Amino acid sequence: MSAARGFSNAMRPVARQLTKSAAQKRTFVAALGAATRATAAVSRPALAGRVQQQTRGVKTIDFAGTKEDVYEREDWPKEKLLEYFKNDTLALIGYGSQGHGQGLNLRDNGLNVIIGVRKEGKSWKDAIQDGWVPGKNLFEVDEAISKGTIIMNLLSDAAQSETWPHIKPQITKGKTLYFSHGFSPVFKDRTNVDVPADVDVILVAPKGSGRTVRSLFREGRGINSSVAVFQDVTGKAEEKAIAMGVAVGSGYLYKTTFEKEVYSDLYGERGCLMGGIHGMFLAQYEVLRERGHSPSEAFNETVEEATQSLYPLIGSHGMDWMYEACSTTARRGAIDWTPRFKDALKPVFNSLYDSVKNGEETQRSLDYNGQKDYREKFEAEMEEIRGMEIWRAGKAVRSLRPENQK
């Protein structure tokens, strides 16, 4: 498309900023954050209709006409976290993507966190590589749970279902049960994860992979996360969940329920976040190839321009800003074709949501991911994707980026 070639002068300073080094970016983000906070402090009375400061730790923000409470990292500084959790041992069970990111962030925040995984398994070895020490802060699962006051169940959804009959009796009164996905307790009829009645059950769900949780924390930024309470026995479950959210690396948190979190999460992953966007990439690329375009051109016009130029700008400024900044030709075509894509895709999205809500997607995940040869089957699927022409062409295109030139 002609959007990138037709960007107005308004794009140039943004483009220059996007090409800065990682160190410069971190400096820029830190300076921007400081400037933003300073501006907010000065102008808060003028923004009273949009952002209302109520109590320290919560703000009511108008999201397109709907007011919601959000919680910010600045309201839980490290010293406050250390004091709040001074009597707690955070037992993090499982060391996959989220376990890795959240665990390292908790450790860097100075909290008493221990890891519980199967001894000598892959996760055990990964944890040792990350500096966790057997007998000090790395234990087998049962021992970690026995030592913990807050049990962070970050096993995969399928593994949570499989191990729950063994783990449940160890979640005794006085402990807190923590999840990062509402999957297991919401679909308990399928997972059999029926939580004990005498413990707080909370959720912090970072909106990104564990790697992103870690990388944004190290950059001083923080990921956005949803927070929820499934069961409040002590009367302090929500406060505890918010504190945990900041401790694991969240920049800000918004409230939801376990049910809404799992519905939106499963729906989003299969839709615009991963499945749907991959399907659109494939469809557009294949049509270009079938109409005689080269692999490099098809990939650049389908994926490279989207991910390297347009999507970051949409994320930074919004779709309306994108329309205003691109060429008049690109703008007109995008606006005209949006309703046609929406009308064609909305029935698919409704069908997808129904599949999530009625548990079909949950059962599919449990059945597939619980198989003994799951990893081998998954690797075969990944090999098929790697072998697609679009992604083989993409590998060549990425090698031409200036930052990848040796």
Side-chain angles (χ1 to χ4, degrees), residues 132-360:
W132 302 94
V133 181
K136 179 183 177 182
N137 51 24
L138 176 60
F139 304 92
E140 292 199 71
V141 173
D142 290 352
E143 187 172 2
I145 294 176
S146 70
K147 293 177 179 295
T149 57
I150 299 177
I151 312 304
M152 303 174 66
N153 193 341
L154 297 185
L155 294 167
S156 70
D157 294 323
Q160 287 185 20
S161 179
E162 293 170 3
T163 59
W164 188 245
H166 178 76
I167 289 178
K168 180 183 177 181
Q170 302 178 68
I171 311 298
T172 53
K173 186 175 181 179
K175 294 183 184 287
T176 296
L177 183 58
Y178 169 107
F179 292 96
S180 279
H181 194 15
F183 188 100
S184 293
V186 170
F187 292 109
K188 64 181 180 181
D189 291 344
R190 296 174 185 265
T191 65
N192 296 314
V193 178
D194 53 333
V195 301
D198 54 357
V199 300
D200 287 347
V201 182
I202 61 177
L203 173 143
V204 175
K207 298 297 100 176
S209 72
R211 293 180 181 178
T212 309
V213 171
R214 180 61 176 163
S215 64
L216 292 182
F217 175 84
R218 296 185 71 179
E219 291 173 14
R221 296 165 60 190
I223 197 166
N224 72 82
S225 304
S226 57
V227 60
V229 173
F230 190 80
Q231 189 167 273
D232 186 359
V233 173
T234 65
K236 299 180 179 179
E238 183 174 291
E239 181 183 57
K240 196 183 310 179
I242 294 165
M244 282 294 297
V246 174
V248 301
S250 304
Y252 77 88
L253 303 107
Y254 59 90
K255 293 173 64 174
T256 186
T257 66
F258 270 61
E259 186 176 74
K260 288 180 179 177
E261 187 280 330
V262 69
Y263 286 0
S264 62
D265 189 75
L266 294 180
Y267 175 76
E269 290 168 347
R270 286 151 179 77
C272 288
L273 300 180
M274 295 172 65
I277 200 67
H278 192 197
M280 287 190 68
F281 281 162
L282 293 176
Q284 178 165 311
Y285 180 90
E286 289 175 7
V287 168
L288 285 170
R289 291 290 287 124
E290 290 163 2
R291 299 297 183 107
H293 295 265
S294 68
S296 63
E297 184 171 55
F299 186 86
N300 273 299
E301 294 292 341
T302 298
V303 179
E304 191 74 352
E305 186 172 349
T307 60
Q308 298 303 297
S309 179
L310 308 188
Y311 292 174
L313 295 171
I314 294 170
S316 297
H317 302 281
M319 185 64 76
D320 56 338
W321 192 92
M322 248 296 300
Y323 281 156
E324 292 170 357
C326 71
S327 71
T328 57
T329 301
R331 182 189 307 161
R332 184 70 267 143
I335 293 173
D336 288 346
W337 276 85
T338 293
R340 297 183 65 174
F341 277 105
K342 176 187 172 184
D343 292 344
L345 291 172
K346 192 169 181 180
V348 178
F349 278 100
N350 267 312
S351 178
L352 168 57
Y353 195 91
D354 289 341
S355 184
V356 167
K357 187 174 181 179
N358 66 25
E360 289 179 11

Side-chain angles (χ1 to χ4, degrees), residues 44 48 51-60 72 74-75:
R44 184 162 286 138
V51 181
Q52 302 166 352
Q53 182 73 34
Q54 296 181 326
T55 60
R56 184 158 181 79
V58 58
K59 290 182 176 64
T60 300
E72 296 182 307
E74 66 183 29
D75 297 312

Side-chain angles (χ1 to χ4, degrees), residues 367-381:
D367 291 345
Y368 185 84
N369 299 332
Q371 296 176 28
K372 298 294 184 182
D373 59 349
Y374 154 73
R375 292 189 181 277
E376 290 79 4
K377 289 182 176 179
F378 172 72
E379 179 56 31
E381 290 178 313

Side-chain angles (χ1 to χ4, degrees), residues 92-154:
L92 193 158
I93 310 304
Y95 200 68
S97 175
Q98 284 294 333
H100 162 88
Q102 294 189 37
L104 292 177
N105 291 354
L106 288 167
R107 190 174 73 183
D108 285 355
N109 272 328
L111 301 187
N112 182 21
V113 55
I114 61 177
I115 304 298
V117 290
R118 182 172 58 85
K119 190 172 184 179
E120 303 305 332
K122 181 181 183 301
S123 294
W124 180 277
K125 296 174 182 176
D126 289 343
I128 290 176
Q129 287 185 341
D130 287 337
W132 302 94
V133 181
K136 179 183 177 182
N137 51 24
L138 176 60
F139 304 92
E140 292 199 71
V141 173
D142 290 352
E143 187 172 2
I145 294 176
S146 70
K147 293 177 179 295
T149 57
I150 299 177
I151 312 304
M152 303 174 66
N153 193 341
L154 297 185

Side-chain angles (χ1 to χ4, degrees), residues 26-42:
R26 286 192 290 273
T27 302
F28 173 77
V29 170
L32 180 61
T36 301
R37 288 191 293 274
T39 301
V42 172

